[in-house]
Amino acid sequence: MRPPAPSAASSSSYSQREPRPENPLLLLPSSRVTKLSLGCPLLDRLLSGGLPAASVTEIAGESATGKTQLCLQLALLAPQSPLSASSLFLHSDLPFPLHRLRRLAPKSRPDILDHVLVAAAHSPTDLLSLLARAQRLLANPGRSPHRLPIRLILLDSVASLFRADFDASPADLRRRSALFFQISAKLKELAYRHQCVVVVTNQVVDVLEGGAGNTVAWSSGRRVSPALGIAWANCVNTRLFLTREVDRDGASGGARRRMKVAFAPHLPERYCEFVIRRDGVFGVEPAERLERLECAGGLRSSYIYQHH
Amino acid sequence: MGEQSGAQNAWDMLSDEQSQKHTTTGSGDLNDILGGGIHCKEVTEIGGVPGVGKTQLGIQLAINVQIPVEYGGLGGKAVYIDTEGSFMVERVYQIAEGCIRDILEHFPQSHEKSSSGQKQLQPEHFLADIYYFRICSYTEQIAVINYLEKFLGEHKDVRIVVIDSVTFHFRQDFEDLALRTRVLSGLSLKLMKIAKTYNLAVVLLNQVTTKFTEGSFQLTLALGDSWSHSCTNRVILYWNGNERYACLDKSPSLPVASAPYAVTGKGIRDAVSSNHKRARVT
């Protein structure tokens, strides 16, 4: 007979006990909540249901492509979703966009901000100590009974953490690389032991030549790739690439935005178009966007399109 | 018998080779350059950049090893050691479904319910025959590999052990690099011994890194110096434009060769441009 899965609280004594295999049948979606919806059926369809728990998903893109907006949206969706969770929002860009969070929060749920924990990370070592504290929080949910258990961890952005303090010398790149693996291992451990959804945003850098099929994309007329190189790419399970293209006809109304699955263990490489509105990030069918542009005379109609 | 006395003559070794079997990768072209598939009694390292299909191939092998003997497979079970959290059950289910569909297409006389005692061709049965270990640190990885000998002694039907990926937890800062090398060498020797003793395939998925050698950055397998001597075979997965390719880079008997492959909804299959008419099940 197959023994049951190891419990979350046993992390400290895990290596002292005999390892036990898990039965993959018990990991099937019917047996537990494993995905966090993005709040939009089109984006959820792109991701086969939403963002997976026990996994690290990266959202990479130029600035103002919707990364932070998506993170804020997810933090507000988590308490209302089947995941029924609080979120831990770790930000390295200052200040935390509190006004945007407040604006996105539903008026019907004034308590919802109680379920968003925010902490600033100023450096990689800072982040590691924050994750150690998070581990204690996650292992002792009973200590904060007024708050839902944390099951969503957001890091916005990983690239900013590594801007200073590192040159391009081989020694520094090795040192930086080692930190990627340390951070990723910690995030993945938290994700697995506590069935958390982990989202990390990343910036992009220009690439002149080379680059494999799934790591390079065109955005705003630039050929770009997610920052932090192949080392960091090895540290995430799923990579989502947000790109924008200015409409060829020059109409100011239409930045064509795409969310593309660059790689994922469970998803084919495909993309979905989306828009950024005051009330969040939503997928659109390409035809709808064009229709709306015609009707509204080429102004920023994507912002006033009634989606639901 | 020859192995137990410590010495084998050439005849023993030849009949040994014939009793060695291999696990199909799902792609005929890939099987061809590998001499039929992934070999038992050998350690095969498979490396590549993120997204090229290492995990997809690892899962495909964990499913294909289970193809029943009457359909040309090994009819074995799999151990899957997941160090990164890439093992997504919904995808494993899809790949199992794809394998079963191909079996039924290839052997139209068979039914989903085979005779008693034999494996039912249902995805749930394929999932249940994967012994899945999730490890979160290098100490857990060492513990699992040390435990494997005992586990495999109790589960003699395991014919493949996949480690996905083998170096992830060793790429953090180690204060004592010599210790890291010793640990990795010890693990690789142990895995080699396991492959031979239990007549199974050991598949080590590895990441690719950039190494600064001779004044420039080159792509290389992670922690290559610690592993390169202890793997029987090495396969590199890479992109050629928008196509995926596999290159057999090291083998005791086969030449260096490349072949294209594809990652489809059903799993690993021949590339669209392949000459193989359809995916071979065996």
Side-chain angles (χ1 to χ4, degrees):
Chain A
M1 288 304 294
R2 207 65 55 81
S7 62
S10 64
S11 50
S12 56
S13 58
Y14 186 81
S15 40
Q16 291 156 24
R17 285 206 326 259
E18 223 168 47
R20 292 148 126 205
E22 290 176 63
N23 186 344
L25 282 177
L26 295 175
L27 301 171
L28 277 172
S30 51
S31 47
R32 44 166 99 166
V33 179
T34 54
K35 295 233 175 106
L36 174 61
S37 158
L38 266 64
C40 163
L42 284 174
L43 293 178
D44 283 349
R45 191 170 70 196
L46 173 74
L47 302 176
S48 289
L51 299 177
S55 186
V56 173
T57 300
E58 178 193 73
I59 301 177
E62 294 180 282
S63 52
T65 43
K67 308 188 294 289
T68 300
Q69 194 81 350
L70 262 173
C71 288
L72 296 170
Q73 189 167 321
L74 289 165
L76 294 169
L77 285 166
Q80 310 173 73
S81 72
L83 210 68
S84 194
S86 284
S87 57
L88 178 59
F89 200 122
L90 305 167
H91 65 104
S92 53
D93 296 316
L94 300 168
F96 177 75
L98 185 56
H99 62 286
R100 281 162 77 183
L101 182 66
R102 284 217 174 98
R103 209 170 58 207
L104 279 173
K107 303 288 176 279
S108 56
R109 290 283 304 260
D111 65 308
I112 206 156
L113 296 189
D114 291 344
H115 302 288
V116 183
L117 299 174
V118 178
H122 305 281
S123 70
T125 36
D126 224 19
L127 175 64
L128 285 166
S129 69
L130 277 175
L131 291 177
R133 278 168 56 194
Q135 189 159 18
R136 287 193 288 277
L137 265 179
L138 286 162
N140 301 292
R143 292 237 189 99
S144 327
H146 56 281
R147 196 178 52 231
L148 294 167
I150 298 171
R151 291 192 60 194
L152 170 62
I153 300 174
L154 304 144
L155 172 58
D156 184 22
S157 66
V158 67
S160 313
L161 284 177
F162 291 91
R163 259 203 288 261
D165 296 338
F166 294 92
D167 307 319
S169 68
D172 259 13
L173 286 174
R174 266 199 302 275
R175 186 164 65 95
R176 199 182 71 158
S177 242
L179 283 167
F180 294 162
F181 287 96
Q182 204 177 345
I183 289 169
S184 170
K186 204 55 180 177
L187 284 170
K188 287 179 175 191
E189 186 184 5
L190 291 176
Y192 171 66
R193 297 229 191 277
H194 304 281
Q195 288 297 300
C196 291
V197 175
V198 176
V199 176
V200 177
T201 68
N202 193 9
Q203 291 153 10
V204 296
V205 292
D206 294 284
V207 278
L208 297 172
E209 55 174 31
N214 60 8
T215 55
V216 180
W218 286 94
S219 189
S220 305
R222 297 160 62 193
R223 195 161 179 267
V224 294
S225 189
L228 310 181
I230 213 176
W232 175 252
N234 277 315
C235 292
V236 303
N237 297 108
T238 296
R239 168 168 279 174
L240 302 176
F241 217 144
L242 303 185
T243 59
R244 67 185 278 280
E245 252 175 69
V246 179
D247 266 343
R248 274 186 222 112
D249 65 9
S252 57
R256 179 154 58 172
R257 299 178 182 280
R258 283 187 184 177
M259 178 184 290
K260 184 180 157 209
V261 176
F263 59 78
H266 61 304
L267 302 170
E269 287 137 34
R270 58 190 179 190
Y271 67 87
C272 175
E273 292 200 10
F274 70 94
V275 293
I276 305 177
R277 302 186 334 215
R278 281 181 72 88
D279 59 336
V281 175
F282 299 98
V284 289
E285 306 280 8
E288 291 165 278
R289 188 187 60 88
L290 279 171
E291 198 181 76
R292 282 286 122 193
L293 275 177
E294 279 160 23
C295 290
L299 293 176
R300 287 190 175 272
S301 58
S302 51
Y303 288 75
I304 57 174
Y305 173 64
Q306 292 300 308
H307 191 255
H308 296 293
Chain B
M1 303 304 116
E3 264 177 323
Q4 283 169 8
S5 72
Q8 273 188 308
N9 60 38
W11 186 248
D12 284 348
M13 282 170 68
L14 181 59
S15 54
D16 233 21
E17 245 181 87
Q18 284 170 350
S19 73
Q20 261 182 59
K21 284 229 210 142
H22 34 250
T23 304
T24 171
T25 61
S27 154
D29 289 333
L30 195 36
N31 287 345
D32 285 345
I33 62 167
L34 295 173
I38 298 291
H39 298 279
C40 292
K41 289 200 185 198
E42 293 182 5
V43 176
T44 303
E45 181 184 13
I46 301 178
V49 294
V52 77
K54 303 185 290 295
T55 296
Q56 304 301 310
L57 184 49
I59 294 173
Q60 187 71 63
L61 292 168
I63 291 292
N64 287 355
V65 75
Q66 302 182 46
I67 294 170
V69 172
E70 63 259 36
Y71 305 123
L74 292 179
K77 298 192 180 172
V79 164
Y80 201 101
I81 298 173
D82 182 5
T83 72
E84 301 193 35
S86 307
F87 186 90
M88 302 283 295
V89 185
E90 63 200 79
R91 180 58 176 154
V92 182
Y93 194 95
Q94 262 186 340
I95 290 177
E97 280 184 318
C99 176
I100 290 166
R101 261 207 300 281
D102 281 1
I103 292 175
L104 294 175
E105 198 184 291
H106 215 83
F107 298 89
Q109 322 85 293
S110 61
H111 309 285
E112 282 188 5
K113 209 175 202 163
S114 41
S115 44
S116 64
Q118 287 170 325
K119 192 193 202 77
Q120 288 196 356
L121 292 179
Q122 303 275 4
E124 288 79 3
H125 289 259
F126 279 75
L127 255 60
D129 283 342
I130 299 176
Y131 297 104
Y132 172 74
F133 293 87
R134 174 82 166 90
I135 63 106
C136 295
S137 70
Y138 81 90
T139 49
E140 286 181 18
Q141 187 168 331
I142 294 168
V144 150
I145 294 173
N146 283 337
Y147 173 63
L148 267 186
E149 276 190 286
K150 177 178 173 203
F151 184 82
L152 293 169
E154 292 164 1
H155 299 87
K156 293 230 156 68
D157 42 6
V158 171
R159 302 303 301 281
I160 197 165
V161 172
V162 179
I163 305 185
D164 177 14
S165 67
V166 70
T167 51
F168 174 71
H169 289 287
F170 290 89
R171 298 185 69 188
Q172 301 178 27
D173 238 347
F174 268 73
E175 277 165 13
D176 186 350
L177 284 182
L179 170 67
R180 182 174 79 174
T181 305
R182 277 203 305 279
V183 166
L184 284 174
S185 295
L187 288 182
S188 63
L189 284 172
K190 186 148 271 185
L191 291 165
M192 182 74 97
K193 184 180 165 211
I194 281 171
K196 290 197 156 32
T197 307
Y198 296 99
N199 187 20
L200 47 80
V202 171
V203 174
L204 306 178
L205 303 181
N206 198 2
Q207 298 174 340
V208 155
T209 181
T210 45
K211 192 170 170 182
F212 193 72
T213 47
E214 294 157 24
S216 67
F217 286 101
Q218 289 173 18
L219 282 184
T220 180
L221 292 187
L223 304 180
D225 299 333
S226 316
W227 287 101
S228 49
H229 51 276
S230 50
C231 295
T232 327
N233 309 290
R234 185 164 52 239
V235 177
I236 313 279
L237 306 179
Y238 63 98
W239 289 97
N240 187 356
N242 281 328
E243 275 215 286
R244 291 176 160 93
Y245 273 78
C247 172
L248 178 66
D249 184 60
K250 178 187 180 188
S251 161
S253 52
L254 295 164
V256 170
S258 282
Y261 69 96
V263 176
T264 71
K266 287 162 68 169
I268 300 285
R269 295 293 186 275
D270 280 318
V272 176
S273 53
S274 164
N275 288 327
H276 283 263
K277 292 247 162 57
R278 60 177 171 180
R280 293 206 305 252
V281 166
T282 53

